Structure formats: C-alpha cells, structure tokens
Amino acid sequence: MRITKNVVLIGIFLLSLLLALYRIQDCRLWIDEFFSINIAQRPLSDIWSMAPHPIKFYYNKMPPLYETILHFIWDQKGTNILAPLLLSVFFHLASIYLIFKLTKLLFDVKTGVLAAFLASLNIAYLVYSKMIRCYALLNIFSLFSLYLFFLMIK
C-alpha cells in the first residue's frame, strides 16, 4: 500500500501539534509576553496609537496586528493564558504548511514534505510556538512573501 503525501502531511502536522502542545500549560511568561498581553487588553484605538514610534522608546516596537488579534482572543476567553498560547500554535502550524508550499513550488513534493518535517522539529519554531509574541506571525508573513515572490517569477 502506498502512502500518499496527504497522509504524510497530516502526520507531520500532528507531530508538530503534539510537540507544540507538549507541556504548554507549564510555560512561564516572560516580561515581553506580559507586555503583549498588557497592550492587547487596551482598547483598539490605544493599540493602534502605540504603533512603532521612532522617538518614544516605551512604545511598542512591533506593528500592532498581532496585539489586535490578541485583543479579540483575550476578549473572548477572559484571563485564561492558554488561548493566546494556542494562537501562537496556530501560527506555528500555518508556517509549517507554508514551508511545505514554498519548497514544493521551488523543488518538488518530496522536498516539500521533508522541509515541513524538518521545520516541525526545529527548536526555534517550537520555542516561538509557546510564546505570546508576534514572532510566529512574522514568520508566516516572511514565508508568504517569499512564496508570492517565487510564484511571480516562475
């Protein structure tokens, strides 16, 4: 019996999900994660007014999209810290899929599957999937822009 690429990809996503969720309840928050939560608890007008500022160093140094998404997640789920962590896990899984799509576009399906598997084991991706920061979202935007670039030049 031949294993299809979809079955292998589902297995890779499940492996990545299990690794990202492993001991997620034991995650301790760092000061910058409290900063993200603090910004997300504010009204949307405050979040967008705290966008990166060239002079005021106490303002947020990241674009406000992640905190805006986090604002709605935090509003819906109350003070449970697991919901914002699951948002990062979702972005992690999306980046694994984009890595597959990008390498499939550049090379072939087998290379895409291998790249997705290696990315699912990447410790940096796993660390970022357990942080309430915009790093996983920035990774998605980087991968998506690369994908669109190579799609345009092909």
Side-chain angles (χ1 to χ4, degrees):
M1 180 176 152
R2 205 166 164 206
I3 299 175
T4 65
K5 79 166 168 88
N6 292 338
V7 172
V8 173
L9 279 176
I10 289 171
I12 290 171
F13 284 126
L14 288 176
L15 171 70
S16 186
L17 181 65
L18 288 174
L19 290 174
L21 292 178
Y22 178 71
R23 297 183 59 147
I24 198 167
Q25 74 277 6
D26 297 338
C27 288
R28 296 212 170 111
L29 297 181
W30 295 33
I31 189 102
D32 57 343
E33 292 173 293
F34 284 116
F35 185 69
S36 291
I37 292 170
N38 183 13
I39 292 173
Q41 290 174 338
R42 298 171 186 231
L44 285 177
S45 59
D46 289 352
I47 292 172
W48 283 86
S49 68
M50 291 183 71
H53 195 277
I55 297 173
K56 299 178 181 174
F57 66 90
Y58 54 86
Y59 276 39
N60 192 9
K61 301 294 183 203
M62 297 291 181
L65 178 63
Y66 180 77
E67 280 82 9
T68 303
I69 297 169
L70 193 59
H71 172 81
F72 292 110
I73 297 289
W74 193 266
D75 250 4
Q76 298 298 321
K77 302 298 178 197
T79 57
N80 186 2
I81 206 68
L82 193 59
L85 285 170
L86 291 177
L87 178 65
S88 294
V89 170
F90 171 75
F91 290 147
H92 167 72
L93 292 175
S95 69
I96 300 295
Y97 179 73
L98 282 172
I99 286 172
F100 166 73
K101 292 292 283 185
L102 178 63
T103 51
K104 184 179 109 173
L105 177 70
L106 293 176
F107 302 105
D108 59 356
V109 175
K110 287 182 181 179
T111 309
V113 169
L114 179 64
F117 175 71
L118 292 175
S120 69
L121 298 178
N122 187 337
I123 193 71
Y125 282 179
L126 292 171
V127 167
Y128 290 154
S129 73
K130 295 181 182 190
M131 296 180 84
I132 305 173
R133 291 297 287 166
C134 65
Y135 307 132
L137 182 62
L138 289 173
N139 188 30
I140 287 174
F141 285 137
S142 299
L143 289 168
F144 190 65
S145 66
L146 278 172
Y147 179 75
L148 289 179
F149 173 75
F150 285 115
L151 193 63
M152 283 182 3
I153 65 172
K154 267 202 163 194

